[in-house]
Amino acid sequence: QALRIMRADKNASNKSLIFPTLTHLGHALYKNRDFKLAAETYLESFNIQVSIITGEENLGIQGFSEKLTSIAKRAIAMEEDDNDFAFLSESLGGIASILRYLGLVYHEQGDIETALTVNKLSLSVRLSQPYKEYSAIALMAETIAMFEFKRANLDNALEYFNQALHAKKSYQGDSTIDVARTVNNLANIHFSLGNLDDAMKLYQDALEIKRLCLGNDSDEVANTLNNIAHVMVTAGKEQEALQAYHNVVRIRQDRYGKNHSSVATTLASMGDVYIKLGKLEIAMTYFEQCIRIQKLNQEHCDERVLENLASIYGKLGEWHKAESAFKEIVQLKRSVQGEDSLEVAKSLDLLAVSYIEQDRCVDSIEHLKEALRIRKACLSGEDGEILASLNKLAFVYKSCEMTTEMMDVKAEFDRIQNMRKK
């Protein structure tokens, strides 16, 4: 209704009254999830704001970059001549803000490329403001960095996180929790790039600030200690990693209790380290604690942890425990991946091995046959995995002195072998 009044003939030329209402309408449409109309409304507001400072009509985002270059030069000239550029700076801030909202809308619509382009343009406008709004610069730089990180453009992500960090330090100082979080994000990028020394230094910087701001036992301190432990493991410094993990467990137990899911996750990580050290019995106890907590909380057991645990049981000769673990793994994989998954077939093979090692070859047959059925359903008839599955089944039949079944399986094996040779 307000727009209809403003667009009446007598107010048609007063653009400065119209665009704020358009922007408010865009916000309402966005919150109401009417993204198409929100985008159109924001874009109309954007065009009006650009036309006010350029003195000419603007028709969308395309070509605005060239106009922005001219506007930036104009701002520099005004500054050199000691002219008042408060209006220009404020107007650019309004344009940058509306571009940010457009980016949010495009992101909600699933148009990631356009959202990223608009966000980068918003940041360019912020950087062109004569009066720098460092909080807004940091927000846009970090938003773009996260976009790039999710797209695995790590070098670009690094550049924008550095830009965000510089902006945050410009208005917050060097030792705020917000600065620490960005330093932590930078460390994550360096770790992903394999720059372990850089990652470690940045994680330690973030840790120092977090301890200063939040105390020694905060959840964020635990998270950064956890990251430090990951770096230590990757660098082959297992003992230092274990020390960091012990501190993480202590903090999380004190904050959330001994049976919290985050405690279970850390215990599993410690089990991984003990595997690297070759200390299987100790690794086993940590994995068992992890699974116990997950079952206590009625959570899905971690498939990877169960597989590690089953493998350790086998290596230690505790095949009855391995059998139980492999049964859980098969059930878990079936619930997640379906009945006819090659991963289920692999676990069925391992379950069969646990029976064979207990001198229960007959009990292994049904699982080997099911693994063979799955492979035939998923793979071409001449695939090597099918041959391997037939070979395992023939071996068990022979061990059980089931000669007829063994010969049938062997005949099928030979037939596939001949077809492969042709």
Side-chain angles (χ1 to χ4, degrees), residues 3 29 47 66 100 115 119 121 202 226 249 280 323:
L3 278 172
L29 291 165
N47 286 331
E66 294 181 7
R100 172 176 170 262
N119 282 332
L121 189 55
L202 288 165
N226 198 63
V249 168
L280 298 186
E323 174 194 337

Side-chain angles (χ1 to χ4, degrees), residues 354-403:
S354 71
Y355 284 117
I356 293 168
E357 291 291 340
Q358 296 177 75
D359 295 323
R360 295 162 58 193
C361 290
V362 173
D363 292 332
S364 73
I365 292 173
E366 65 173 297
H367 303 297
L368 290 173
K369 288 172 70 175
E370 175 64 6
L372 176 60
R373 184 199 67 76
I374 293 171
R375 290 188 172 104
K376 286 180 176 179
C378 296
L379 303 169
S380 65
E382 301 173 20
D383 193 278
E385 284 195 37
I386 293 176
L387 283 173
S389 202
L390 285 166
N391 199 40
K392 293 170 189 172
L393 193 54
F395 169 79
V396 172
Y397 280 140
K398 183 178 180 180
S399 300
C400 296
E401 298 182 352
M402 300 171 68
T403 305

Side-chain angles (χ1 to χ4, degrees), residues 192-207:
S192 298
L193 288 168
N195 304 330
L196 300 186
D197 290 340
D198 291 331
M200 179 57 70
K201 182 183 182 307
L202 288 165
Y203 280 136
Q204 287 173 338
D205 289 346
L207 181 64

Side-chain angles (χ1 to χ4, degrees), residues 41-304:
T41 306
Y42 281 141
L43 196 56
E44 185 180 355
S45 176
F46 167 77
N47 286 331
I48 292 174
Q49 291 183 68
V50 173
S51 68
I52 289 174
I53 63 172
T54 61
E56 57 187 39
E57 186 179 15
N58 190 74
L59 299 174
I61 294 168
Q62 299 295 330
F64 174 67
S65 295
E66 294 181 7
K67 292 181 180 179
L68 181 60
T69 302
S70 174
I71 294 168
K73 289 179 180 178
R74 176 177 149 201
I76 293 171
M78 291 175 70
E79 186 175 8
E80 290 174 348
D81 294 338
D82 291 328
N83 290 331
D84 183 10
F85 42 65
F87 172 77
L88 177 62
S89 190
E90 184 179 343
S91 298
L92 287 171
I95 291 170
S97 180
I98 208 71
L99 285 168
R100 172 176 170 262
Y101 290 124
L102 267 171
L104 292 172
V105 171
Y106 290 135
H107 185 261
E108 289 285 355
Q109 291 177 311
D111 190 348
I112 305 302
E113 290 294 334
T114 303
L116 184 58
T117 298
V118 170
N119 282 332
K120 288 181 177 180
L121 189 55
S122 175
L123 178 59
S124 295
V125 175
R126 287 292 181 193
L127 294 171
S128 299
Q129 285 183 265
Y131 294 127
K132 296 292 184 287
E133 296 182 42
Y134 287 107
S135 60
I137 291 171
L139 173 63
M140 287 316 306
E142 201 144 47
T143 299
I144 296 166
M146 292 305 298
F147 265 105
E148 296 287 19
F149 180 70
K150 290 176 182 176
R151 288 152 49 97
N153 294 332
L154 300 184
D155 289 330
N156 288 348
L158 197 63
E159 176 188 343
Y160 285 106
F161 273 129
N162 272 314
Q163 201 167 2
L165 181 62
H166 173 75
K168 286 182 179 183
K169 286 183 175 181
S170 295
Y171 76 98
Q172 294 181 8
D174 293 343
S175 300
T176 67
I177 189 60
D178 200 21
V179 166
R181 289 165 182 159
T182 302
V183 171
N184 202 90
N185 286 334
L186 275 168
N188 291 340
I189 302 293
H190 279 290
F191 181 60
S192 298
L193 288 168
N195 304 330
L196 300 186
D197 290 340
D198 291 331
M200 179 57 70
K201 182 183 182 307
L202 288 165
Y203 280 136
Q204 287 173 338
D205 289 346
L207 181 64
E208 183 180 347
I209 298 171
K210 287 181 177 182
R211 281 175 166 163
L212 178 67
C213 296
L214 303 173
N216 291 326
D217 297 327
S218 75
D219 196 43
E220 292 215 22
V221 166
N223 291 339
T224 300
L225 280 169
N226 198 63
N227 292 334
I228 288 173
H230 290 337
V231 177
M232 292 293 189
V233 172
T234 306
K237 299 177 180 179
E238 287 83 5
Q239 294 300 334
E240 292 94 328
L242 287 172
Q243 183 177 353
Y245 279 135
H246 276 295
N247 286 330
V248 174
V249 168
R250 178 187 58 77
I251 292 171
R252 289 177 172 170
Q253 285 180 335
D254 289 346
R255 290 183 65 84
Y256 305 117
K258 293 184 178 181
N259 295 322
H260 192 264
S261 58
S262 65
V263 174
T265 301
T266 312
L267 291 170
S269 296
M270 295 176 76
D272 292 334
V273 178
Y274 280 112
I275 285 181
K276 287 191 71 175
L277 292 171
K279 299 181 178 181
L280 298 186
E281 292 89 349
I282 300 176
M284 179 180 70
T285 62
Y286 280 101
F287 289 139
E288 286 175 338
Q289 288 181 69
C290 170
I291 296 300
R292 181 191 63 78
I293 292 171
Q294 290 175 342
K295 288 181 177 179
L296 186 66
N297 294 330
Q298 297 183 332
E299 299 171 348
H300 277 301
C301 292
D302 189 307
E303 182 182 309
R304 184 191 63 80

